[in-house]
C-alpha cells in the first residue's frame, strides 16, 4: 500500500515572511525617529561629540581660540615664540635648566622661514638676544626674563 505524498502548507511561510518584513520596517522607522529627536533635544550652545562607527551623521564642533596677547610678553617660557608678536625683542636671561630635559636647557633662534640662526644648550645661567621677526624656541629651561 502506498501513502500519498504529504505537502506542507504554504501559509505559515507566507505569514512569517510578511511579519519579518513588517518588524524590519518598524525598527527602521523607530531608529530614524530616535536619531532625529536626539539632535532636537540638545540645548543651544552645547556641543556633543559621539564616537561611533555606526553613525554617519556629521557633527559640528566650534573651537574658540584665545586671541594673541595685545602686548608681547617679557618672559620666554618653553615653547616656540615669534619675536615681536609673542615676545618682545631684546636680551633675556635664565637661571638655567628646569630639570625637565636631560641634556640641559636647549634654545634656538630661527629666521621666519625656520632656518636656524643660532642654537645651543646651557647647563647653568644663560643670556640670549632675540631680534624682531625671529622665531625663538626653548626647552627644559627656567623662564627667561627680559633684562634689556
Amino acid at each position: 500500500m502506498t501513502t500519498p505524498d504529504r505537502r506542507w502548507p504554504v501559509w505559515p511561510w507566507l505569514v512569517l515572511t510578511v511579519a519579518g518584513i513588517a518588524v524590519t520596517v518598524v525598527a527602521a522607522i523607530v531608529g530614524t525617529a530616535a536619531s532625529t529627536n536626539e539632535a532636537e533635544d540638545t540645548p543651544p550652545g552645547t556641543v556633543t561629540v559621539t564616537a561611533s562607527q555606526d553613525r554617519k551623521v556629521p557633527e559640528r564642533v566650534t573651537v574658540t581660540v584665545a586671541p594673541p596677547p595685545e602686548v608681547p610678553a617679557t618672559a620666554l617660557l618653553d615653547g616656540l615664540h615669534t619675536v615681536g608678536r609673542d615676545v618682545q625683542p631684546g636680551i633675556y636671561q635664565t637661571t638655567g635648566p628646569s630639570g625637565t630635559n636631560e641634556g640641559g636647557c636647549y634654545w634656538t633662534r630661527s629666521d621666519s622661514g625656520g632656518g636656524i640662526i643660532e642654537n645651543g644648550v646651557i647647563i647653568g645661567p644663560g643670556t640670549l638676544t632675540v631680534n624682531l621677526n625671529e622665531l625663538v624656541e626653548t626647552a627644559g629651561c627656567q623662564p627667561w626674563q627680559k633684562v634689556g
Side-chain angles (χ1 to χ4, degrees):
M1 189 160 144
T2 61
T3 57
D5 287 331
R6 193 168 171 157
R7 294 181 136 194
W8 290 97
V10 176
W11 69 267
W13 293 106
L14 185 60
V15 169
L16 288 173
T17 302
V18 170
I21 292 171
V23 167
T24 303
V25 168
V26 169
I29 291 170
V30 169
T32 302
S35 66
T36 302
N37 288 341
E38 286 176 7
E40 294 171 1
D41 292 343
T42 305
T46 301
V47 176
T48 303
V49 178
T50 303
S52 174
Q53 292 180 352
D54 298 324
R55 196 170 186 150
K56 302 291 186 214
V57 177
E59 296 284 339
R60 184 174 293 210
V61 177
T62 302
V63 177
T64 304
V65 178
E70 291 181 23
V71 177
T74 58
L76 287 172
L77 304 176
D78 280 356
L80 180 64
H81 310 280
T82 302
V83 181
R85 185 188 73 193
D86 302 327
V87 295
Q88 295 179 7
I91 302 169
Y92 289 80
Q93 288 184 338
T94 183
T95 57
S98 63
T100 59
N101 188 2
E102 262 185 53
C105 168
Y106 172 78
W107 60 269
T108 184
R109 291 175 44 225
S110 308
D111 60 28
S112 60
I116 295 178
I117 298 170
E118 185 180 21
N119 65 357
V121 175
I122 57 174
I123 55 172
T127 302
L128 176 63
T129 301
V130 295
N131 301 307
L132 191 61
N133 297 324
E134 289 181 346
L135 300 174
V136 61
E137 182 174 16
T138 67
C141 305
Q142 295 287 337
W144 297 77
Q145 300 297 325
K146 186 171 186 226
V147 294

